[in-house]
């Protein structure tokens, strides 16, 4: 039987959710909106509807691809929902030309056709762009314009035909619940005295920038910031003509160097600007009863410089007045990604917020699959509502980062560029020492993380590391290569504090972990097990190390907040799941001299074997030592409580001095792990990938856990695609991730992680390839800023295949 679903909000997201749910047979769906249907007054009611598929995220690009596909197939009484005029991004600065090539590569890797074109072609594609004003353009023929209000109504009608109800002027004022489950919602008739209740098993919050207010009804911080953004329409422009109902034929145009975008409205031009100051809107002060609460008065002083820039690009605008402008409100998040998922403490309460029109259909499909099938078919971990730490959810953090995202919405942002404040948010106890050693930090997942240490600049090996230029050289130094070599030759000290550590304990803890993950964790006390969490259909959600500290006491090494959330959600009564990351800290001490260093500060017996754990002392500091190494060298992860972190670091540092020990950063770590073929969850493999495809079959044992049936079927069928290392022919060729891989002239796959491997002196690019092209020796090319860099599929691991370093 279909569960009773209430969707709050009838914008593009709510309507698409209703459509996708009813399509999957969940037909008891009621969509409630505080506004009048089908123009209830949210962001969707007046979005200009540019739909663009380029994005920094694979998942987001594919959400957009699906929006294009779906809206193209819809109409409202014969009127279009999607007008596939194509997209054109122009470059007016040399750095942007490179960026267009990079975006072109990314689009190829997700299967969206695009072309970098010259100034003349830009002028041919767009009637207002003079060739002399641009250096290049990126043309994406399948981008276009969505008519959001029509898309809402067309999807709503389809859902209604399958049994859904849409009710306007029903403001949800209370969420009804019983023992941790939602049971319904209570509404007030907008502007009137009426009240109603709607029983529900599932409630989906699709309230756009009202999210923080709606979330507050269920004590759910909905970490988004509503901000106003200027959009204006000009008077008729010479060179444009009335196109009737078609509205536009020229591609949507984006001038990212000046934070502007353009679309035709027949003979008028619509212009959107992100060039102004961030204008945050306090959702508590939103007008409740006006027709268009998402539309604020136009502020001409914010507009003037943007319009001058628009006129500079498009001279036809000179002398043309702006006829109508407004400051429209929509949602921004701390990391630019949407918020999807279930309330951590209230079962049946789901959220789909901070979603652009562009991604709306893809997001709605993912949410519907999540509800109906248990997991979306695309990887959504970067969109997970529960991905943030408490500090990241704080209003101050959301406000500052979201405002920054507004400013940077079109900037060329390198994945390792450190964000502006608030910083630092989370530091390990070693932070002070790392600063003294000249650490160059970025922030990952809220943590300050050293990329490399300037104090290592004098290492002789620095000169051996191939130099780089451009993108690959940003936030990188050859010092990192020398740190990696020092680890292989001598010993390196790595900060492991940001690794998520979870204590799972209580009667049933062992059975819980055993029934949740793919490996056998019912092992002797003191053993460490590498194991996977899968979706019901076998996709890799995460890889974990599980250390058995006692009969019913485990320390789990995990990959972030989403894992903690899953463990908490699924733990049976009596089993406690405690995130101990913040109160503890740790280092990795790895390399051939690690034993010399450790034995000089510890009198414990250190002969315990690989993937074993033991409680030892380092000086006076009690430490949990795990003989585990993500870099593939002899050594230990050494954990203690945060208060003793400095003592731990200082003791090891003093002991390491005589052994050539270096502090080593993130880049060295990545180089070494790729030489060993150790995967990073969420990057190399995601919930879209099966364990054997990802090269992780060794961690899968027969048993009863989510995904077991699929993985045993996979074993018989054999993988269709594989994650394999590609070695670049030229050691100086180093790519950075997300590039397309070609066989001849056909794009056949994409890069996940990449780094220079200093031990093997080669650029390494891990890539997903079809099984038939994944055999060692196969020649391929990685496209990098338009150049095809030759490489060859290699056998793994690339370094120390017998593991002699780990078990000397
Ligand atoms: P909304 O459309 O805001 O819908 C939320 C609904 O929830 C509203 O109808 C509201 O009435 C209802 N609601 C709220 N609280 C309650 C309650 N308590 N009870 C009942 N109902 C409630 N995106 C693009 O992809 N491309 C663009 O070019 C683009 N340009 C934009 C330009 C402007 C000026 C603006 C403002 C936005 C733009 N966007 C664009 C963003 C896009 O419009 C939004 O991200 C998107 O429309 C959000 O859809 P939604 O369904 O989440 O929210
Ligand atoms: N340390 C600890 N926990 C972790 C990580 C870690 N949990 C999350 C993430 N990192 C897990 N990833 C890995 C990846 C590879 C290995 C360990 C953790 C590893 N693999 C060996 C191999 O593939 O040959 C051994 C596997 C085995 O013997 O089962 O070491 O860094 N604590």
């Amino acid at each position: 039987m279909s569960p009773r679903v209430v969707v709050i909000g009838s914008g593009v997201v709510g309507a698409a959710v209703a459509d996708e749910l009813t399509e999957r047979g969940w037909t008891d769906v009621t969509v409630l909106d505080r506004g009048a249907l089908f123009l209830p007054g949210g962001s969707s009611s007046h979005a200009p509807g540019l739909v663009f598929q380029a994005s920094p995220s694979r998942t987001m690009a594919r959400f957009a691809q699906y929006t294009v596909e779906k809206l193209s197939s819809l109409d409202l009484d014969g009127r279009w929902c999607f007008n596939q005029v194509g997209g054109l991004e122009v470059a007016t600065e040399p750095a942007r030309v490179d960026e267009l090539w990079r975006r072109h590569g990314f689009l190829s890797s997700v299967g969206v056709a695009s072309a970098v074109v010259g100034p003349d072609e830009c002028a041919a594609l767009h009637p207002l762009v003079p060739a002399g004003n641009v250096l290049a353009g990126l043309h994406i023929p399948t981008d276009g314009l969505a008519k959001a209000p029509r898309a809402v109504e067309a999807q709503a009608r389809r859902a209604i035909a399958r049994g859904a109800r849409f009710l306007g002027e029903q403001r949800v004022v209370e969420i009804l619940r019983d023992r941790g489950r939602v049971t319904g919602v209570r509404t007030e008739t907008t502007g009137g005295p009426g009240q109603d209740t709607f029983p529900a098993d599932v409630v989906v919050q699709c309230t756009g920038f009202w999210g923080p207010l709606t979330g507050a009804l269920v004590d759910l911080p909905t970490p988004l910031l509503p901000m106003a953004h200027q959009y204006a329409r000009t008077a008729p422009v010479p060179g444009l003509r009335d196109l009737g109902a078609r509205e536009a034929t020229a591609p949507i145009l984006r001038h990212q160097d000046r934070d502007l975008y353009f679309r035709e409205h027949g003979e008028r031009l619509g212009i959107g600007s992100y060039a102004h100051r961030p204008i945050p809107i306090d959702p508590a002060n939103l007008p409740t009863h006006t027709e268009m609460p998402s539309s604020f008065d136009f502020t001409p002083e914010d507009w003037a410089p943007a319009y001058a820039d628009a006129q500079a690009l498009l001279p036809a605008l000179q002398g043309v007045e702006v006829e109508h402008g407004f400051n429209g409100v929509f949602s921004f998040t701390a990391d630019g990604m949407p918020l999807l998922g279930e309330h951590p403490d209230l079962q049946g309460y789901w959220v789909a917020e901070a979603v652009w029109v562009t991604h709306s259909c893809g997001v709605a499909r993912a949410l519907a699959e999540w509800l109906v099938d248990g997991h979306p078919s695309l990887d959504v971990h970067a969109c997970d509502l529960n991905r943030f730490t408490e500090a990241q959810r704080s209003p101050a953090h959301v406000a500052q980062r979201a405002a920054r995202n507004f400013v940077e919405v079109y900037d060329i942002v390198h994945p390792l560029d450190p964000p502006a404040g608030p910083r630092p948010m989370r530091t390990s106890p070693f932070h002070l020492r790392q600063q003294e050693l000249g650490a160059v930090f970025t922030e990952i997942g809220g943590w300050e993380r050293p990329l490399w240490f300037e104090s290592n600049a004098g290492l002789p090996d620095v000169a051996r590391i191939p130099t780089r230029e451009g993108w690959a050289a940003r936030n990188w130094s050859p010092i990192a290569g020398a740190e990696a070599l020092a680890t292989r030759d001598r010993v390196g000290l790595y900060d492991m504090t940001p690794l998520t550590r979870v204590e799972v304990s209580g009667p049933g803890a062992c059975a819980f972990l055993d029934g949740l993950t793919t490996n056998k964790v019912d092992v002797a006390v003191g053993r460490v097990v590498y194991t996977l969490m899968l979706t019901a259909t076998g996709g890799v959600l995460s890889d974990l190390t599980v250390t058995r500290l006692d009969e019913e006491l485990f320390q789990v090494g995990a990959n972030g907040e989403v894992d903690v959330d899953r463990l908490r959600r699924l733990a049976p009564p009596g089993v406690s799941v405690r995130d101990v990351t913040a109160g503890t800290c740790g280092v990795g001490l790895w390399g051939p001299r690690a034993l010399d260093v450790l034995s000089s500060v510890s009198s414990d017996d250190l002969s315990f074997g690989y993937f074993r754990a033991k409680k030892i002392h380092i000086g006076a500091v009690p430490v949990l030592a795990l003989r585990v190494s993500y870099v593939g060298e002899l050594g230990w992860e050494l954990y203690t409580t945060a208060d003793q972190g400095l003592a731990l670091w200082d003791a090891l540092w003093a002991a390491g001095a005589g052994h050539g020990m270096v502090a080593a950063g993130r880049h060295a770590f990545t180089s070494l792990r790729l030489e060993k073929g150790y995967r990073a969850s969420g990057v190399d493999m995601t919930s879209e990938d099966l364990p054997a495809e990802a090269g992780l079959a060794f961690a899968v044992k027969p048993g009863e856990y989510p995904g077991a049936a699929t993985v045993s079927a996979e074993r018989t069928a054999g993988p269709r695609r594989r994650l394999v290392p590609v070695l670049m022919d030229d050691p100086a060729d180093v790519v950075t991730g997300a590039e397309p891989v070609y066989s001849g002239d056909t794009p056949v796959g994409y890069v996940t992680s990449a780094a220079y491997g200093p031990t093997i002196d080669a650029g390494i690019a891990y890539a997903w390839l079809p099984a038939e092209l994944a055999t060692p020796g196969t020649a391929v090319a990685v496209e990098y800023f338009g150049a095809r860099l030759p490489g060859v599929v290699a056998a793994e691991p690339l370094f120390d295949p017998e593991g002699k370093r780990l078990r000397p």
Side-chain angles (χ1 to χ4, degrees), residues 496 499-500 519 528-531 542-547 555-559 590 610-611 626 628-630 637 639 669 676-681 696 698-699 806-807:
M496 295 297 285
L499 178 97
T500 306
N519 215 334
V528 185
V529 176
Y530 178 70
T531 186
S542 187
D543 63 346
L544 309 172
T545 58
V546 174
T547 304
Q555 177 166 313
V556 176
N559 294 292
W590 295 308
Y610 185 53
F611 267 65
L626 309 187
V628 167
S629 166
Y630 210 105
E637 290 177 358
Y639 294 107
F669 190 80
K676 283 299 291 178
Y678 295 157
R679 277 74 169 139
S681 181
L696 296 171
F698 69 90
L806 289 159
R807 298 186 187 82

Side-chain angles (χ1 to χ4, degrees), residues 395-413:
H397 179 259
V398 174
Q400 222 169 316
R401 289 287 163 93
R404 187 83 210 152
N405 280 336
F406 182 91
V407 173
E408 288 181 350
V409 75
Y410 283 162
D411 287 6
I412 303 171
V413 181

Side-chain angles (χ1 to χ4, degrees), residues 104-416:
H104 164 67
F106 171 81
L107 285 165
S108 309
S109 80
V110 287
V112 175
S114 70
V116 178
V117 298
D120 290 336
E121 281 159 284
C122 291
L125 283 163
H126 200 288
L128 302 183
V129 176
N133 282 4
V134 297
L135 299 173
L138 175 64
H139 183 219
I140 304 134
T142 49
D143 280 358
L145 285 168
K147 196 71 157 176
R150 269 183 221 155
V152 168
E153 193 165 351
Q155 294 180 89
R157 282 194 197 170
R158 214 155 64 171
I160 290 165
R162 298 187 191 113
R165 295 189 284 179
F166 277 67
L167 304 174
E169 311 205 315
Q170 293 277 359
R171 192 156 64 92
V172 173
V173 293
E174 186 185 354
I175 310 297
L176 309 172
R177 34 197 154 157
D178 183 29
R179 278 160 289 177
R181 276 211 67 93
V182 296
T183 57
V185 306
R186 186 169 65 80
T187 61
E188 283 175 4
T189 309
T190 306
Q195 288 208 17
D196 218 335
T197 57
F198 296 86
D201 308 301
V202 173
V203 171
V204 191
Q205 172 186 323
C206 306
T207 53
F209 61 82
W210 283 268
L213 298 183
T214 329
L217 300 175
V218 287
D219 304 317
L220 177 71
T222 305
L224 61 81
L225 179 71
M227 276 194 279
H229 149 67
Q230 290 200 308
Y231 188 79
R233 219 185 259 222
T234 65
V237 181
L240 298 185
R241 62 207 160 88
D242 188 349
L243 295 163
R246 208 167 155 200
E247 292 185 21
T249 55
I252 60 172
L253 177 66
R254 298 208 284 163
H255 180 22
Q256 280 125 319
D257 292 327
R258 290 291 177 276
D259 296 316
L260 294 170
Y261 64 84
F262 306 87
R263 59 154 290 185
E264 281 171 294
H265 292 278
E267 57 196 341
R268 294 172 165 77
L269 199 66
I271 307 173
S273 166
Y274 293 101
H276 54 81
R277 72 198 155 100
I279 309 176
I281 304 290
D282 180 353
N285 292 337
L286 285 169
T288 41
H289 300 308
T290 62
E291 260 174 41
M292 283 290 170
S294 57
S295 176
F296 281 66
D297 288 344
F298 194 59
T299 46
E301 66 279 14
D302 291 313
W303 178 254
Y307 198 47
D309 283 334
Q311 289 168 321
L313 179 74
L314 310 176
L317 293 178
Q318 274 153 26
V320 175
E321 297 291 310
V322 164
E323 271 184 0
H324 171 75
F326 67 104
N327 291 0
V329 183
F330 68 109
S331 311
F332 280 76
T333 56
D335 57 7
M337 300 292 280
L339 307 170
L340 307 182
E342 192 180 12
H343 192 305
D345 307 311
L346 180 60
Q347 266 185 58
Y349 193 87
W350 291 73
V351 166
E353 301 279 17
V355 180
W356 292 39
V357 174
T358 297
H359 308 112
S360 57
C361 297
V363 161
R365 179 177 65 175
L367 195 87
E369 289 171 340
W370 207 339
L371 282 165
V372 177
D373 307 332
H375 202 272
S377 52
L378 294 184
D379 162 43
V380 294
H381 82 275
C383 312
D384 200 300
L385 169 68
N386 300 299
R387 66 186 176 278
F388 301 108
T389 62
E390 207 176 331
Q392 288 172 315
R393 285 194 305 263
S394 68
H397 179 259
V398 174
Q400 222 169 316
R401 289 287 163 93
R404 187 83 210 152
N405 280 336
F406 182 91
V407 173
E408 288 181 350
V409 75
Y410 283 162
D411 287 6
I412 303 171
V413 181
H414 188 277
L416 290 175

Side-chain angles (χ1 to χ4, degrees), residues 515-742:
L516 183 66
T517 73
T518 59
N519 215 334
K520 200 170 123 48
V521 303
D522 189 2
V523 291
V525 170
R527 292 195 83 119
V528 185
V529 176
Y530 178 70
T531 186
L532 309 174
M533 281 201 289
L534 305 180
T535 67
T537 49
V540 182
L541 285 167
S542 187
D543 63 346
L544 309 172
T545 58
V546 174
T547 304
R548 189 166 206 175
L549 298 172
D550 205 338
E551 280 307 305
E552 296 286 25
L553 174 64
F554 296 83
Q555 177 166 313
V556 176
N559 294 292
E561 297 298 311
V562 176
D563 286 358
V564 181
D565 176 62
R566 182 173 165 88
L567 289 168
R568 249 193 218 130
R569 241 173 236 286
L570 297 177
V575 173
S576 129
V577 171
R578 207 159 61 89
D579 181 351
V580 298
T581 313
T584 59
C585 65
V587 293
L589 177 74
W590 295 308
R593 300 224 204 139
L595 179 60
D596 298 331
V597 175
L598 191 56
S599 58
S600 71
V601 283
S602 176
S603 49
D604 290 284
D605 176 4
L606 300 174
S607 64
F608 58 101
Y610 185 53
F611 267 65
R612 298 288 205 289
K614 186 175 170 179
K615 288 192 172 147
I616 63 168
H617 283 87
I618 293 178
V621 181
V623 164
L624 173 65
L626 309 187
R627 182 73 194 278
V628 167
S629 166
Y630 210 105
V631 305
E633 293 293 329
L634 173 69
W636 299 267
E637 290 177 358
L638 303 165
Y639 294 107
T640 190
T641 49
D643 53 339
Q644 298 174 94
L646 211 50
L648 171 69
W649 179 278
D650 286 346
L652 291 170
W653 192 255
H659 298 283
M661 187 171 83
V662 298
R666 200 63 201 157
H667 277 301
F669 190 80
T670 304
S671 291
L672 298 173
R673 82 163 173 89
L674 289 182
E675 287 183 339
K676 283 299 291 178
Y678 295 157
R679 277 74 169 139
S681 181
V683 180
D684 296 312
M685 73 287 189
T686 71
S687 61
E688 295 172 35
D689 310 312
L690 299 173
E693 299 175 337
L696 296 171
F698 69 90
V700 177
K701 301 278 149 62
E704 279 183 39
Y705 46 81
T710 317
V711 289
S712 75
E714 186 201 17
R715 188 158 306 165
T716 346
R720 296 155 301 128
R721 51 205 279 278
R722 280 180 190 279
L723 178 67
V724 290
V726 172
L727 285 186
M728 308 313 296
D729 290 358
D730 181 344
D733 283 349
V734 179
V735 301
T736 62
E739 295 85 0
V741 180
Y742 281 78

